[in-house]
Amino acid sequence: MASSKPLFLFLFLINIFFLLTLTSAEDAFVPYNFEVSYITASPLGVPQQVIAINDQFPGPTINVTTNNNVAVNVRNKLDESLLIHWSGIQQRRSSWQDGVLGTNCPIPPKWNWTYQFQVKDQIGSFFYFPSLHFQRAAGGFGGFIINNRPVISVPFDTPQGDIVVFIGDWYTRNHTDLRKDLDGGKDLGMPDGVLINGKGPYRYNDTLVPDNIDFEQLDVQPGKTYRIRVHNVGISTSLNFRIQNHNLLLAETEGSYTVQQNYTSLDIHVGQSYSFLVTMDQNASSDYYIVASARFVNESRWKRVTGVGILHYSNSKGKAKGPLPAGPDDQFDKTYSMNQARSIRWNVSASGARPNPQGSFRYGSINVTDIYVLKNKPLVKIDGKRRATLSGISYTNPATPLRLADQFKVKGVYKLDFPTKPLTGSPRIETSVINGSFRGFMEIILQNNDTKMHTYHLDGYAFFVVGMDFGDWSENSRGTYNKWDGIARSTAQVYPGAWTAVLVSLDNVGIWNLRTENLDSWYLGQETYIRVVNPEPTNKTELPIPDNALFCGALAKKQKQQIISSAASFNGNGLKLLFTLLMFVCAISNIFQ
């Protein structure tokens, strides 16, 4: 595909125009412009290539309100293709905007593409990241906040401020080198550090931490309460988050208000997001440590990778002092961590994005229509290559996205035969997809027979985390399920040698990615998709294919036709409106720079 920047800017404006014409006055339109490029940064004191958005690492936070219509124009200035995925954003009726290979063709280098979606009936703390080529290991991530509409009450007082915090393990090797290691059958090895908001550790220890590393500092006022939204955007390391001498009052996770409970520290696994209310009630004359440390690893060996930032009171006159605040007593105690996870409950009396209590949806009384037991194991060799599997299948992405293949009836792209139980024969590489029943109620049991922690994420939905325990799941395990206030979220941890059970109401038409959030295992094939089709097609359950859809694989020839058709169809009065819109966009955006 040849670069065509002016034409793609033209098409961007066309699509913004159509979006505006379809948007009601009640649902505001919020535009963003993302320029994705490489910059040089030294988060751990070593210059390296990272992925920035608008020259920011991490990228800018998208801040919108329930039911807003969002348009994000992405200009790809990388040297490889790109997709941006909006983790936890449900894309109601529009899996076309999900930003994964099952639904979208990649954005080629030097091209623009505009995501257009409504944050329908959602609130909460989410994040976005690049979903291809192991790029998340180089950055490209940022926050995504959806606020309640003013008419909907929030189950806590308005905080003094809203602070987004990204924690995650980090390597000083480029993501391309990490990718080559995985392709060559190697493990990534121990990370070089843990970053907090893209920065290395504060020098709390002269031996473990080199000099001249930039660290994160959060500025606060004494006596005030802040909402701190914490996201683990790392590769594969579970992290324990804590703030010296301060309680973390858990209030929300991935779009659901929780029963408010205080924690001195909380395990946050890869891909997970939490909101804490933190009151600045300590002696304000000194600073305090913010810590993100690795879990379930050799503590003495991993001390040098601990992430450390600073909480700075406005009238503080002294540096943080003393040892780092301690995490859980036993670094390898998974039972402690599981009990902590079980304690996180849904606030069933709080209103969500709509003015009805969350608990009015009685998930525990709904009949299950589909049951899938998904089992993962340590990496295996298939055809001489190291691969990750789910129920014995290692997923491979076809050249034509699944949703496009459905739309244009391209046969042979994938098989709708993902097994309900793990395969008993040899593992195999397949493009195998789960056949979901529209408006069905699916029970998914995630069985982790690997030796490391995993978190699993489902696009398009929030599922109910109803149970987790050690050992193998059995039919009798249902007797332990929480059928009343299990948390609704999009990412759930599964401990080694344990299972986690989730329930999901399949009311969102589309093709939705189900994957491990551990980036190395995801890259090596530990994923699938759930296909949810309304047998009676209607725009009420799924929006039409976007006018600016990209085409690739078996449909690559349609790309040129689509460009010509879009340009030709926009004339007459439409052009006058386009020029008006052009003036508007130029006033609010640096799109032409």
Side-chain angles (χ1 to χ4, degrees), residues 281-316:
D281 55 4
Q282 296 301 300
N283 186 329
S285 63
S286 66
D287 296 341
Y288 294 88
Y289 295 122
I290 302 168
V291 179
S293 61
R295 289 284 275 135
F296 318 123
V297 295
N298 185 311
E299 187 173 18
S300 59
R301 184 170 174 241
W302 280 66
K303 264 188 178 178
R304 66 174 178 82
V305 306
T306 299
V308 182
I310 292 296
L311 185 75
H312 175 72
Y313 280 70
S314 57
N315 56 349
S316 170

Tab-separated table of all heavy atoms in Angstrom, residues 281-316:
chain	number	residue	atom	x	y	z
A	281	ASP	N	-3.522	12.096	54.816
A	281	ASP	CA	-3.757	12.345	56.242
A	281	ASP	C	-2.519	12.108	57.099
A	281	ASP	O	-2.622	11.982	58.321
A	281	ASP	CB	-4.898	11.465	56.742
A	281	ASP	CG	-4.665	9.977	56.463
A	281	ASP	OD1	-3.579	9.616	55.944
A	281	ASP	OD2	-5.576	9.175	56.749
A	282	GLN	N	-1.342	12.057	56.476
A	282	GLN	CA	-0.118	11.829	57.232
A	282	GLN	C	0.612	13.148	57.492
A	282	GLN	O	0.222	14.204	56.978
A	282	GLN	CB	0.784	10.860	56.464
A	282	GLN	CG	0.175	9.471	56.288
A	282	GLN	CD	-0.144	8.796	57.608
A	282	GLN	OE1	0.733	8.562	58.435
A	282	GLN	NE2	-1.434	8.500	57.825
A	283	ASN	N	1.668	13.048	58.286
A	283	ASN	CA	2.502	14.214	58.566
A	283	ASN	C	2.992	14.809	57.249
A	283	ASN	O	3.690	14.143	56.481
A	283	ASN	CB	3.691	13.786	59.440
A	283	ASN	CG	4.519	14.969	59.900
A	283	ASN	OD1	4.628	15.991	59.217
A	283	ASN	ND2	5.135	14.834	61.059
A	284	ALA	N	2.613	16.056	56.983
A	284	ALA	CA	2.885	16.652	55.669
A	284	ALA	C	4.272	17.270	55.562
A	284	ALA	O	4.584	17.919	54.571
A	284	ALA	CB	1.834	17.718	55.372
A	285	SER	N	5.116	17.072	56.550
A	285	SER	CA	6.433	17.710	56.513
A	285	SER	C	7.455	16.910	55.715
A	285	SER	O	8.568	17.367	55.499
A	285	SER	CB	6.951	17.924	57.939
A	285	SER	OG	7.139	16.670	58.586
A	286	SER	N	7.078	15.688	55.281
A	286	SER	CA	8.031	14.885	54.502
A	286	SER	C	7.311	14.153	53.378
A	286	SER	O	6.078	14.070	53.349
A	286	SER	CB	8.748	13.874	55.408
A	286	SER	OG	7.825	12.910	55.892
A	287	ASP	N	8.102	13.638	52.446
A	287	ASP	CA	7.574	12.863	51.328
A	287	ASP	C	7.374	11.401	51.748
A	287	ASP	O	7.879	10.964	52.800
A	287	ASP	CB	8.539	12.907	50.138
A	287	ASP	CG	8.704	14.308	49.565
A	287	ASP	OD1	7.834	15.155	49.826
A	287	ASP	OD2	9.705	14.545	48.867
A	288	TYR	N	6.697	10.641	50.864
A	288	TYR	CA	6.435	9.219	51.134
A	288	TYR	C	6.706	8.401	49.873
A	288	TYR	O	6.525	8.880	48.748
A	288	TYR	CB	4.981	9.029	51.597
A	288	TYR	CG	4.714	9.685	52.928
A	288	TYR	CD1	4.311	11.012	52.986
A	288	TYR	CD2	4.904	8.993	54.124
A	288	TYR	CE1	4.086	11.642	54.204
A	288	TYR	CE2	4.679	9.610	55.340
A	288	TYR	CZ	4.274	10.930	55.379
A	288	TYR	OH	4.070	11.544	56.594
A	289	TYR	N	7.126	7.159	50.083
A	289	TYR	CA	7.421	6.273	48.969
A	289	TYR	C	6.141	5.723	48.326
A	289	TYR	O	5.181	5.374	49.018
A	289	TYR	CB	8.251	5.071	49.422
A	289	TYR	CG	9.642	5.380	49.920
A	289	TYR	CD1	10.030	5.016	51.223
A	289	TYR	CD2	10.582	6.000	49.106
A	289	TYR	CE1	11.318	5.270	51.690
A	289	TYR	CE2	11.869	6.260	49.567
A	289	TYR	CZ	12.224	5.899	50.855
A	289	TYR	OH	13.490	6.148	51.311
A	290	ILE	N	6.163	5.627	47.011
A	290	ILE	CA	5.173	4.866	46.244
A	290	ILE	C	5.915	3.666	45.680
A	290	ILE	O	6.978	3.827	45.057
A	290	ILE	CB	4.581	5.704	45.097
A	290	ILE	CG1	3.939	6.984	45.635
A	290	ILE	CG2	3.595	4.890	44.281
A	290	ILE	CD1	3.602	7.990	44.535
A	291	VAL	N	5.390	2.455	45.882
A	291	VAL	CA	6.146	1.249	45.524
A	291	VAL	C	5.310	0.312	44.652
A	291	VAL	O	4.115	0.106	44.906
A	291	VAL	CB	6.604	0.488	46.799
A	291	VAL	CG1	7.367	-0.781	46.428
A	291	VAL	CG2	7.470	1.392	47.666
A	292	ALA	N	5.947	-0.228	43.629
A	292	ALA	CA	5.377	-1.316	42.821
A	292	ALA	C	6.439	-2.398	42.734
A	292	ALA	O	7.468	-2.219	42.055
A	292	ALA	CB	4.987	-0.827	41.433
A	293	SER	N	6.232	-3.498	43.449
A	293	SER	CA	7.253	-4.542	43.521
A	293	SER	C	6.710	-5.865	42.986
A	293	SER	O	5.509	-6.145	43.090
A	293	SER	CB	7.743	-4.723	44.961
A	293	SER	OG	6.685	-5.120	45.806
A	294	ALA	N	7.604	-6.679	42.434
A	294	ALA	CA	7.214	-7.937	41.803
A	294	ALA	C	6.732	-8.941	42.846
A	294	ALA	O	7.223	-8.980	43.982
A	294	ALA	CB	8.398	-8.518	41.031
A	295	ARG	N	5.743	-9.734	42.429
A	295	ARG	CA	5.188	-10.773	43.296
A	295	ARG	C	5.525	-12.151	42.757
A	295	ARG	O	5.758	-12.342	41.561
A	295	ARG	CB	3.668	-10.625	43.378
A	295	ARG	CG	3.226	-9.412	44.172
A	295	ARG	CD	3.386	-9.640	45.667
A	295	ARG	NE	2.234	-10.330	46.228
A	295	ARG	CZ	2.297	-11.350	47.072
A	295	ARG	NH1	3.460	-11.836	47.451
A	295	ARG	NH2	1.189	-11.900	47.542
A	296	PHE	N	5.552	-13.143	43.682
A	296	PHE	CA	5.745	-14.560	43.359
A	296	PHE	C	7.104	-14.812	42.700
A	296	PHE	O	7.240	-15.652	41.816
A	296	PHE	CB	4.608	-15.074	42.458
A	296	PHE	CG	3.255	-14.577	42.875
A	296	PHE	CD1	2.447	-13.869	42.007
A	296	PHE	CD2	2.786	-14.776	44.170
A	296	PHE	CE1	1.208	-13.395	42.400
A	296	PHE	CE2	1.541	-14.302	44.582
A	296	PHE	CZ	0.761	-13.605	43.678
A	297	VAL	N	8.113	-14.054	43.138
A	297	VAL	CA	9.474	-14.191	42.616
A	297	VAL	C	10.443	-14.132	43.788
A	297	VAL	O	10.067	-13.792	44.909
A	297	VAL	CB	9.807	-13.072	41.603
A	297	VAL	CG1	8.945	-13.167	40.356
A	297	VAL	CG2	9.671	-11.692	42.245
A	298	ASN	N	11.697	-14.449	43.517
A	298	ASN	CA	12.748	-14.372	44.534
A	298	ASN	C	12.980	-12.907	44.902
A	298	ASN	O	13.507	-12.138	44.108
A	298	ASN	CB	14.037	-15.007	43.997
A	298	ASN	CG	15.125	-15.054	45.049
A	298	ASN	OD1	15.416	-14.066	45.710
A	298	ASN	ND2	15.734	-16.221	45.192
A	299	GLU	N	12.568	-12.525	46.106
A	299	GLU	CA	12.572	-11.113	46.488
A	299	GLU	C	13.976	-10.511	46.473
A	299	GLU	O	14.178	-9.403	45.972
A	299	GLU	CB	11.951	-10.955	47.874
A	299	GLU	CG	11.751	-9.508	48.281
A	299	GLU	CD	10.977	-9.393	49.582
A	299	GLU	OE1	10.898	-10.384	50.325
A	299	GLU	OE2	10.456	-8.304	49.850
A	300	SER	N	14.954	-11.230	46.995
A	300	SER	CA	16.307	-10.671	47.054
A	300	SER	C	16.878	-10.474	45.658
A	300	SER	O	17.552	-9.482	45.375
A	300	SER	CB	17.223	-11.590	47.876
A	300	SER	OG	17.282	-12.882	47.297
A	301	ARG	N	16.579	-11.391	44.743
A	301	ARG	CA	17.082	-11.282	43.371
A	301	ARG	C	16.382	-10.159	42.611
A	301	ARG	O	16.970	-9.496	41.761
A	301	ARG	CB	16.879	-12.616	42.653
A	301	ARG	CG	17.461	-12.652	41.250
A	301	ARG	CD	17.454	-14.069	40.690
A	301	ARG	NE	17.870	-14.059	39.296
A	301	ARG	CZ	17.117	-14.467	38.280
A	301	ARG	NH1	15.905	-14.932	38.514
A	301	ARG	NH2	17.557	-14.433	37.039
A	302	TRP	N	15.101	-9.912	42.938
A	302	TRP	CA	14.311	-8.938	42.194
A	302	TRP	C	14.310	-7.554	42.832
A	302	TRP	O	13.643	-6.648	42.339
A	302	TRP	CB	12.869	-9.441	42.061
A	302	TRP	CG	12.689	-10.455	40.971
A	302	TRP	CD1	13.219	-11.709	40.911
A	302	TRP	CD2	11.905	-10.308	39.779
A	302	TRP	NE1	12.822	-12.358	39.769
A	302	TRP	CE2	11.999	-11.519	39.053
A	302	TRP	CE3	11.117	-9.288	39.260
A	302	TRP	CZ2	11.367	-11.723	37.838
A	302	TRP	CZ3	10.462	-9.488	38.057
A	302	TRP	CH2	10.600	-10.693	37.352
A	303	LYS	N	15.042	-7.355	43.929
A	303	LYS	CA	15.016	-6.064	44.609
A	303	LYS	C	15.416	-4.920	43.687
A	303	LYS	O	14.852	-3.826	43.743
A	303	LYS	CB	15.949	-6.096	45.824
A	303	LYS	CG	15.235	-6.410	47.126
A	303	LYS	CD	16.162	-6.235	48.310
A	303	LYS	CE	15.405	-6.514	49.608
A	303	LYS	NZ	16.292	-6.390	50.783
A	304	ARG	N	16.364	-5.181	42.811
A	304	ARG	CA	16.872	-4.098	41.957
A	304	ARG	C	15.863	-3.652	40.905
A	304	ARG	O	16.042	-2.606	40.288
A	304	ARG	CB	18.173	-4.535	41.264
A	304	ARG	CG	18.000	-5.660	40.258
A	304	ARG	CD	19.309	-5.945	39.510
A	304	ARG	NE	19.176	-7.048	38.577
A	304	ARG	CZ	18.656	-6.936	37.356
A	304	ARG	NH1	18.189	-5.769	36.941
A	304	ARG	NH2	18.582	-7.987	36.548
A	305	VAL	N	14.793	-4.426	40.689
A	305	VAL	CA	13.816	-4.007	39.679
A	305	VAL	C	12.584	-3.347	40.305
A	305	VAL	O	11.638	-3.016	39.608
A	305	VAL	CB	13.368	-5.195	38.799
A	305	VAL	CG1	14.551	-5.906	38.192
A	305	VAL	CG2	12.496	-6.174	39.563
A	306	THR	N	12.582	-3.143	41.600
A	306	THR	CA	11.420	-2.546	42.272
A	306	THR	C	11.174	-1.120	41.778
A	306	THR	O	12.103	-0.314	41.687
A	306	THR	CB	11.623	-2.538	43.793
A	306	THR	OG1	11.772	-3.887	44.250
A	306	THR	CG2	10.451	-1.896	44.506
A	307	GLY	N	9.900	-0.832	41.455
A	307	GLY	CA	9.542	0.522	41.053
A	307	GLY	C	9.264	1.386	42.272
A	307	GLY	O	8.533	0.982	43.172
A	308	VAL	N	9.851	2.575	42.296
A	308	VAL	CA	9.693	3.474	43.443
A	308	VAL	C	9.463	4.898	42.944
A	308	VAL	O	10.241	5.419	42.145
A	308	VAL	CB	10.927	3.451	44.375
A	308	VAL	CG1	10.701	4.359	45.588
A	308	VAL	CG2	11.253	2.033	44.823
A	309	GLY	N	8.383	5.500	43.405
A	309	GLY	CA	8.117	6.902	43.138
A	309	GLY	C	7.956	7.658	44.447
A	309	GLY	O	8.145	7.098	45.535
A	310	ILE	N	7.569	8.934	44.343
A	310	ILE	CA	7.468	9.788	45.529
A	310	ILE	C	6.097	10.458	45.576
A	310	ILE	O	5.626	11.019	44.579
A	310	ILE	CB	8.571	10.870	45.532
A	310	ILE	CG1	9.948	10.217	45.736
A	310	ILE	CG2	8.317	11.916	46.599
A	310	ILE	CD1	10.132	9.524	47.074
A	311	LEU	N	5.463	10.376	46.751
A	311	LEU	CA	4.263	11.150	47.039
A	311	LEU	C	4.719	12.404	47.775
A	311	LEU	O	5.283	12.317	48.872
A	311	LEU	CB	3.302	10.338	47.905
A	311	LEU	CG	1.941	10.978	48.187
A	311	LEU	CD1	1.047	10.895	46.957
A	311	LEU	CD2	1.256	10.299	49.367
A	312	HIS	N	4.484	13.566	47.171
A	312	HIS	CA	5.039	14.816	47.688
A	312	HIS	C	3.928	15.744	48.152
A	312	HIS	O	3.131	16.230	47.353
A	312	HIS	CB	5.876	15.507	46.592
A	312	HIS	CG	6.388	16.861	46.982
A	312	HIS	ND1	7.399	17.030	47.903
A	312	HIS	CD2	6.014	18.118	46.587
A	312	HIS	CE1	7.645	18.326	48.051
A	312	HIS	NE2	6.810	19.006	47.270
A	313	TYR	N	3.851	15.971	49.473
A	313	TYR	CA	2.910	16.941	50.023
A	313	TYR	C	3.383	18.357	49.664
A	313	TYR	O	4.585	18.636	49.625
A	313	TYR	CB	2.835	16.793	51.534
A	313	TYR	CG	1.956	15.656	52.023
A	313	TYR	CD1	2.312	14.322	51.859
A	313	TYR	CD2	0.752	15.934	52.665
A	313	TYR	CE1	1.510	13.295	52.319
A	313	TYR	CE2	-0.066	14.916	53.148
A	313	TYR	CZ	0.319	13.599	52.960
A	313	TYR	OH	-0.487	12.586	53.421
A	314	SER	N	2.414	19.254	49.446
A	314	SER	CA	2.751	20.598	48.953
A	314	SER	C	3.656	21.369	49.909
A	314	SER	O	4.427	22.228	49.475
A	314	SER	CB	1.458	21.391	48.697
A	314	SER	OG	0.674	21.463	49.870
A	315	ASN	N	3.577	21.103	51.204
A	315	ASN	CA	4.432	21.819	52.161
A	315	ASN	C	5.520	20.923	52.750
A	315	ASN	O	6.043	21.202	53.818
A	315	ASN	CB	3.585	22.432	53.274
A	315	ASN	CG	2.718	21.408	53.988
A	315	ASN	OD1	2.601	20.279	53.526
A	315	ASN	ND2	2.125	21.811	55.109
A	316	SER	N	5.830	19.840	52.047
A	316	SER	CA	6.870	18.932	52.528
A	316	SER	C	8.239	19.611	52.487
A	316	SER	O	8.571	20.323	51.536
A	316	SER	CB	6.897	17.671	51.666
A	316	SER	OG	8.040	16.895	51.964
